[in-house]
Structure formats: C-alpha cells, structure tokens
Amino acid sequence: MLDGLDPEQREVALALTGPVCVLAGAGTGKTRAITHRIAYGVRSGRLQPASVLAVTFTNRAAGEMRGRLRQLGAGGVQARTFHAAALRQLQFFWPKAVGGDLPRLLERKIQLVADAAARCRVRLDRNELRDVTGEIEWAKVTQTVPADYPAVVAKSLRDAPRDPAEISQIYAMYEQLKRDRSVIDFEDVLLLTVGILQDRHDIADQIRSQYQHFVVDEYQDVSPLQQRLLDLWLGDRDNLCVVGDASQTIYSFTGATPDHLLNFRTRHPGATMVKLVRDYRSTPQVVHLANGLLSQARGRAADHRLELISQRDPGPEPVYTEYADEPTEAEGTARRIRDLIAAGVPAGEIAVLYRINAQSEVYEQALADAGVPYQLRGAERFFERQEVREAGIALRGAARAGGNDSLLDDAEDLPAQVRAVLSTKGWSTRPPAGSGAVRDRWESLAALVRLAEDFARAKRGATLSDLVAELDERAAAQHAPTVQGVTLASLHAAKGLEWDAVFLVGLTEGMLPITYAKTDEQVEEERRLLYVGVTRARLHLTLSWALARSPGGRASRRPSRFLKGLRPGSGSLGTVASGGAGSFGRGSGTAGRRKPRGPALCRVCGTTLTEAGAMKLMRCEDCPSDMDEGLYERLREWRTEQARELGQPGYCVFTDKTLMAIAERIPTTGGELSMISGVGARKLDRFGADVLAICAGEDSGAGDDED
C-alpha cells in the first residue's frame, strides 16, 4: 500500500491519528496521498471503513475518490460532497428531530428568487436575477441573515449587484416563500443539519459514534457554514486530516476562504504538517512559470505559497503570442491546436481556458471552421444528453437479457459487448465527418465505449451488469467520462482538471484581472486564477492576448499585468522561461531609460538596432509593445491642438514614433523625458510641462497662451 509513494506522500499515509494538515501544491499527487492513507489504515486494521467520512467539493472529485478507494480495497469508506453527506444525514434524522417528511429540495432557486423580487416590486433582468441569486447563496454560506446583509456587505467591501437594502428585502421574501411552499434549497441542507446537530445532542452523538475519522479535500475552499458543520461532526475529537493549497483559492465569491487552512496549526497546535511540492504533472518549464507568477503575489495566501519542483523531463518553453484582434487570436489558437493534433496530441488532451464563459463563442466558431471537435465544459450535463440516456437503456436491456441477446454472440469481452450494443445507437469505429449534432452524438457514445474499456481494465472479469451499475452511480454523481474533443472552459470550471496542452486566451487588462476586481485582495485572487490555469498544463502551454476586440478596432488593450516579469522583455523576471523566449525573441534584454553608448540594443530582445524608428523606440519594430494606448491617444489629441495653434504639421511638434516612445516609457521627470530620442532641449523647454502633465493624468493646459 505504501509502495510507489514519495517520502512526503508516505508521511501522509502513515499519519493516521491526530490532526493532520497537508499543504499540497498543484499536481503533487494529493488525491493519491490521501486515498492511500485511508486505504492503508483500513487494510492495516487501524481504521474501520464505515467510521471514515471523506468530503470534498464536487461530485466528480468524490466519484474519483470512491473509485480509487475501491481499487485499493477500501470500498466501504464514504466519500461524498459536503452537501451529499449532510443531505443523507438530514433525510435519516428529520423524522426523529422534526417529524414528518423532509421538505422538497429545490434544485434551482432562480424562479423562486424571481417570485420574491416580484413580490417586493423589484424588476430584475435575467442577468440581475442570476447575480441576486448568487448573493443570496453567498449570504447563506457565510451565515448572514437578511437583516444583517447590508451591514455585512459594507464591512466586507463586497460589490453588491443591486442596492443592498433591495437584496436584503428580496432575500427575506425568498426565505418566506420557501416556508410557504414547504421547500428547502441546497444551503438549507447544511443549515438545517447544523441546527439539528446543535439542538439534538443525542443525534450528534449518534453521528459521532459512526464517523470517527474525517478527511477534507480542497480545504482552502471551505465556507464558514461548512466549517461549522465539520466542527459539529468532530465534536471534541481531533481525528481530522485536511488537504489544501491557499494559492488555489479562487471561489471567495461563493464564501470560500483559506483562513481555515492557514489557521489550522493555531487551532490544532500539535498537528502534523506535511508539504507536497513534487510536481508530477507539469514540465520544469511550466512549473517555473507558475512559481514565477506566485513570486509576485501579495497577501496572506501568498506568504504560504508552495515552491513546486517538477519531477518530469524538460519540455517546450511556454509560448506568448500577441494578436491584433480577438477573431485573429481565436483563429491562431485553432491553427495551433490543429497542428498539435496532427503531431499526435489527442483532442481530448487539449484545453482552451478563458476568464468568462462569454469568451467561448469565438473559439467555438474558430474550432468548427478548422474542423476541430470540441466540448463545452459546464454546458449540458453528460448523463442528461438524450443519446446517453438512450444508450443506458439499451445497455441495461442487454445486461438483463444476458446470453439471450443475439447482439452479444460474437462479443468476447465487456468492451466488445458495449461496442456491439452502441453500434445500434449510432456508434461506429470511425467518427462521422465534420462537426454538428451527428458528431456530438458520436462523441458521447465513444466516451461510453472508452469508459467501458477503462472499467474492464480496472476490474477484471467485469460484466455488463457491473458496468450498468457503474454508469448509474456516475449518473447520480454527475461523474462524466471525457469526451474526445478540445475542452472549452472557464478558468473556474477548469479547477481540478489537467491536459497535455493548455491555451490561456484573452489575457488582457480588464479581463484578467477582471474589471470589477478593485481591492488588492480581489486582484490577488485573479492572479491565483491565472496560476490555476497555468498549472493545468502538463507539457504545452500557450498564453495569448489581443490588442483589439474586432478587426480594424483601436488597439487599446494591454497584456495582463500578471504577465509582467514572466514573458520575455517585460521586466526583471523576463528570463523565467529559461532558455527560450516563447514567440518573443531571445530573452529579456535591457530596459533602461538612458541613451545607449555604443551600439543601440533592443530593450526587449537585445538585438542591435539599425533603423531610425526602432532606435527611437529602443526596440525592434516587431518586438512586443507595452505602450499605454490611452496615453498615446491623449498625446495625439494634445499634439493636434498644439499643431493647430502653431500653424505647423503635427510631426513638427513630435513624430508618431516619439509619442509612442513616450507612451511606452511614461516619464515622470524632465530628465527621463529628455532621454527619449526626439525630445531635445528646445522641445523639452517648450512642451515638457504639458507632456509630463498628460503622463501624470493631469490637465495639460493645452490651448493656453504660451507667450
């Protein structure tokens, strides 16, 4: 059971008693460590399977944990989400604690929120309705009652989507409508379980007598309400193992906080602390970039960051690509993906990740035009697709028929049986040409075939009935197999996943960090979101951005500030991608503001400059620009006004290249301005004050009488 674990994973597996805190970086094998810990305890007789409760945050993660535990001989261990575990307890104890039947669980609360808003005479459009629903969820997991909501929002500096007093009113009406209609929502499942355990000590004792050992995965995502439930499950015991990484806290908008992870040793002074930093997922190049990204982070989570050490062979350098506009970025990404597939990378091992779901459309179109299959993560659930439901019915019928099904006469093993059954539903050995509904249907059925192959390898002698039972369990947990297409997903939806090749797209200011990230804490969470995206890549990593939204649009966008110091030529950390410089030349070069002595060198790539325009900018014409587009436009407007008053062409004030150089370097003093080629003593004396005022964001006073 301990064979194959590295020294730190082995330390986790052997720490079976007392509080244990595992700080596990991305790709360091945390699931392997904790499942082997549980299985080792069970197989050695030190843990009873029924006494262990492992909780995590997604049905997919819980399903994966159950599958691994079964393979390790610890199938009796409960591995569930917080909500699933609480709902099971609530359903069992409700008749005893309250009496009668448990109220109906409301799977989608948005319609009830709409009814509550209507009762309050507040009109909400669809987007506002979604946002207000999210606010109600946040309030409940942070244990904020309607009357306290406005004050809590003000104290937390949270940006409410509507007037907090209005949301408080809608929230209160929503709670009233739930009571009137005898329904509960998912947050109520936790709240009611907490209430019962607090009020009924006999029920709390009964649960504690059953569950004596707890494991919590992704502990950095625990909300105050989930922590309260965990405390009640534990009672006065300390047989708790938590696993998390503060640098992957990206769900604070749902109430998640890394404080419980970071304060674990304070709450449990004698806790065993183990750090997992050996990264088995990503190449040294990807890991180096990820470490460099976090090295610039600030705040409490950053103070506890883990420096990852790649255990893989070297791979290609991350590629940085700047595009003129978004469609060009999408088309360029699709071409690179097509090349990777042609080189042997499976489509299912490639992902395009973006900040918001609205960015997906242009990539869907580009991939479709390029003939590349794709799947949208977070779209229709796999097991709810019509073709998957029909396939399940057919497999279930064949399993019941057993040897009497003529379809299975020539099928020697489970995968062959599944292929035979699904061939009647549209599956074939060769995928249909092109994309569209026919291809989507085939991809779903092909995913079921691959699942059967994986299941047969994991469970020798498995029958069709065994597979049907597995499918039913996965459907209940929404633990879908991977469809063989390029994954399109938001960075939030990509958490916990990994691919051979990852394309991080749309990395511009205003998108990452997102415009509404105002506070330092919010901006740092955006940095962690990019970190999560970077660490999804095993081998190939491409980071890109577009200077304009549409073709011919003004190139006013700038690369994300998080890339400064990472991409070659963008600052002091420009050599982080050691050896190569992605798509941007040979290295970081020099970035001084002084006039060079001897040969003029490009401040981005270090090449000797010979062209006058390049020497004025102190960079090659095709090297990336970090120009402030807004400042450049303001300088051009000022120049037009000056030229009109002087009765001279604009270039007599300053040339376009000189204005570009000013907008790139943004001087703050006359000395810095004078170092820019094209700004001589006469022009410095005549125009320097105006230019420095514009650079500082002040009114230049253009148009005043200079005589």
Side-chain angles (χ1 to χ4, degrees):
M1 193 58 60
L2 302 178
D3 288 348
L5 300 183
D6 67 32
E8 293 78 25
Q9 292 171 343
R10 187 183 180 95
E11 186 178 352
V12 173
L14 291 172
L16 293 176
T17 59
V20 179
C21 181
V22 183
L23 301 178
T28 56
K30 66 180 179 65
T31 305
R32 177 179 177 83
I34 58 177
T35 52
H36 277 70
R37 175 184 185 270
I38 295 170
Y40 176 70
V42 169
R43 296 283 291 274
S44 66
R46 296 174 64 184
L47 299 179
Q48 295 301 313
S51 72
V52 180
L53 177 60
V55 289
T56 187
F57 285 83
T58 66
N59 289 316
R60 187 196 63 79
E64 180 183 355
M65 193 178 292
R66 284 195 298 271
R68 292 204 194 187
L69 288 170
R70 279 200 304 268
Q71 292 177 5
L72 293 171
V77 172
Q78 295 294 318
R80 300 180 180 276
T81 65
F82 269 101
H83 283 90
L87 180 59
R88 197 160 182 253
Q89 294 172 14
L90 195 61
Q91 290 170 331
F92 185 82
F93 289 109
W94 184 269
K96 179 179 179 180
V98 181
D101 295 330
L102 181 69
R104 180 174 61 87
L105 181 61
L106 190 68
E107 293 195 5
R108 296 184 73 250
K109 59 172 69 69
I110 198 163
Q111 183 56 54
L112 200 59
V113 174
D115 293 346
R119 291 280 187 96
C120 297
R121 298 184 180 181
V122 177
R123 297 189 63 179
L124 302 175
D125 63 29
R126 186 158 62 176
N127 290 331
E128 290 175 323
L129 185 59
R130 183 187 61 200
D131 291 342
V132 170
T133 300
E135 281 301 288
I136 291 174
E137 291 175 348
W138 173 83
K140 297 187 75 167
V141 300
T142 56
Q143 303 176 81
T144 303
V145 298
D148 294 342
Y149 173 79
V152 173
V153 166
K155 183 178 180 181
S156 64
L157 302 178
R158 185 178 178 85
D159 287 330
R162 298 274 299 202
D163 176 48
E166 278 188 344
I167 295 178
S168 174
Q169 186 182 12
I170 296 170
Y171 179 14
M173 180 57 68
Y174 168 78
E175 293 296 314
Q176 181 61 51
L177 288 178
K178 284 200 292 99
R179 289 190 291 271
D180 293 345
R181 300 178 187 183
S182 296
V183 294
I184 59 175
D185 60 27
F186 277 100
E187 290 72 40
D188 290 330
V189 170
L190 301 184
L191 285 163
L192 291 169
T193 305
V194 165
I196 288 175
L197 294 180
Q198 285 180 161
D199 295 342
R200 292 292 299 267
H201 298 294
D202 56 330
I203 293 176
D205 289 341
Q206 190 172 342
I207 290 176
R208 291 167 191 158
S209 67
Q210 177 179 355
Y211 296 119
Q212 297 168 23
H213 300 270
F214 296 86
V215 177
V216 184
D217 193 13
E218 304 289 0
Y219 193 55
Q220 77 278 350
D221 291 332
V222 165
S223 71
L225 179 56
Q226 289 165 332
Q227 181 62 48
R228 180 65 187 136
L229 177 59
L230 180 60
D231 289 339
L232 288 166
W233 281 340
L234 275 167
D236 58 1
R237 301 165 301 170
D238 62 2
N239 278 329
L240 171 65
C241 175
V242 300
V243 188
D245 179 8
S247 296
Q248 297 189 67
T249 305
I250 59 173
Y251 299 114
S252 67
F253 60 92
T254 67
T257 170
D259 289 346
H260 305 297
L261 175 67
L262 299 178
N263 294 337
F264 192 82
R265 175 165 274 180
T266 302
R267 296 187 66 191
H268 304 279
T272 299
M273 303 290 291
V274 184
K275 292 183 179 181
L276 302 183
V277 296
R278 300 173 196 252
D279 189 315
Y280 297 95
R281 174 187 301 160
S282 305
T283 62
Q285 286 76 10
V286 173
V287 168
H288 199 39
L289 194 158
N291 286 337
L293 180 61
L294 283 191
S295 72
Q296 304 176 47
R298 300 292 180 267
R300 191 161 181 240
D303 293 340
H304 293 78
R305 65 180 178 268
L306 299 169
E307 188 83 9
L308 300 179
I309 304 170
S310 176
Q311 304 298 298
R312 293 192 54 173
D313 292 334
E317 295 290 341
V319 175
Y320 301 84
T321 310
E322 183 176 276
Y323 293 95
D325 51 67
E326 285 185 5
T328 304
E329 182 181 11
E331 291 162 8
T333 300
R335 284 195 301 272
R336 288 176 181 269
I337 289 173
R338 191 171 55 192
D339 292 344
L340 282 175
I341 293 173
V345 180
E349 287 296 343
I350 302 173
V352 178
L353 307 181
Y354 34 77
R355 176 61 179 83
I356 59 174
N357 287 318
Q359 293 171 271
S360 75
E361 184 181 1
V362 66
Y363 291 94
E364 293 180 55
Q365 186 63 54
L367 290 172
D369 291 345
V372 175
Y374 67 87
Q375 60 168 330
L376 269 174
R377 183 164 183 84
E380 184 183 19
R381 290 177 174 178
F382 181 86
F383 287 102
E384 292 176 359
R385 297 176 188 172
Q386 182 178 351
E387 64 269 23
V388 175
R389 292 200 301 268
E390 292 174 354
I393 293 171
L395 290 170
R396 192 172 287 106
R400 282 198 299 267
N404 298 321
D405 193 328
S406 59
L407 277 173
L408 309 182
D409 287 346
D410 297 326
E412 298 179 356
D413 57 13
L414 175 60
Q417 292 174 352
V418 172
R419 287 191 286 267
V421 173
L422 296 189
S423 64
T424 67
K425 297 298 177 182
W427 180 83
S428 60
T429 55
R430 295 176 63 87
S435 58
V438 174
R439 179 60 181 255
D440 290 344
R441 180 183 180 88
W442 184 90
E443 292 286 357
S444 296
L445 298 177
L448 289 173
V449 171
R450 287 191 300 276
L451 189 150
E453 293 167 350
D454 293 342
F455 186 70
R457 281 194 294 269
K459 187 173 182 179
R460 292 182 177 275
T463 66
L464 198 54
S465 295
D466 294 332
L467 177 65
V468 168
E470 174 75 5
L471 291 176
D472 288 342
E473 183 175 337
R474 283 172 173 256
Q478 289 303 327
H479 182 197
T482 302
V483 174
Q484 279 303 308
V486 173
T487 298
L488 297 178
S490 70
L491 287 164
H492 282 103
K495 178 74 168 65
L497 304 175
E498 58 187 78
W499 296 270
D500 283 345
V502 169
F503 290 79
L504 302 176
V505 299
L507 302 181
T508 60
E509 283 291 304
M511 190 57 72
L512 197 73
I514 199 78
T515 305
Y516 52 77
K518 303 293 187 185
T519 67
D520 291 345
E521 188 174 338
Q522 290 168 341
V523 170
E524 286 305 314
E525 181 151 335
E526 295 287 299
R527 188 193 305 276
R528 295 195 295 269
L529 194 56
L530 179 57
Y531 174 77
V532 166
V534 167
T535 55
R536 300 310 95 194
R538 299 191 191 103
L539 182 62
H540 303 281
L541 178 62
T542 300
L543 305 93
S544 65
W545 59 92
L547 298 179
R549 180 174 183 180
S550 54
R554 192 175 67 156
S556 58
R557 295 178 173 178
R558 301 183 67 189
S560 169
R561 72 189 72 172
F562 301 144
L563 300 182
K564 188 173 180 62
L566 298 178
R567 62 186 179 95
S570 61
S572 60
L573 296 177
T575 57
V576 95
S578 56
S583 59
F584 282 160
R586 297 189 297 274
S588 60
T590 59
R593 299 184 184 276
R594 296 173 299 176
K595 288 185 177 180
R597 296 177 180 176
L601 303 179
C602 173
R603 58 191 172 85
V604 177
C605 70
T607 299
T608 300
L609 301 174
T610 57
E611 297 294 329
M615 293 176 70
K616 187 181 289 288
L617 294 174
M618 288 305 297
R619 63 173 174 82
C620 302
E621 296 278 2
D622 57 352
C623 276
S625 169
D626 55 358
M627 180 175 68
D628 185 328
E629 295 286 349
L631 174 58
Y632 178 67
E633 291 299 325
R634 293 194 298 276
L635 288 168
R636 282 173 56 89
E637 292 170 3
W638 166 82
R639 183 184 66 177
T640 299
E641 182 66 19
Q642 290 292 322
R644 182 185 61 78
E645 292 183 1
L646 294 172
Q648 296 177 342
Y651 64 79
C652 291
V653 181
F654 286 124
T655 65
D656 284 347
K657 282 290 194 298
T658 299
L659 293 186
M660 289 177 66
I662 293 170
E664 287 186 353
R665 304 194 200 180
I666 314 179
T668 59
T669 67
E672 290 179 351
L673 181 59
S674 69
M675 292 293 104
I676 296 174
S677 178
V679 184
R682 185 180 63 83
K683 289 189 177 182
L684 179 65
D685 182 64
R686 187 178 185 99
F687 304 122
D690 283 353
V691 171
L692 291 173
I694 295 170
C695 289
E698 301 168 2
D699 187 351
S700 68
D704 291 347
D705 184 0
E706 294 184 343
D707 298 329

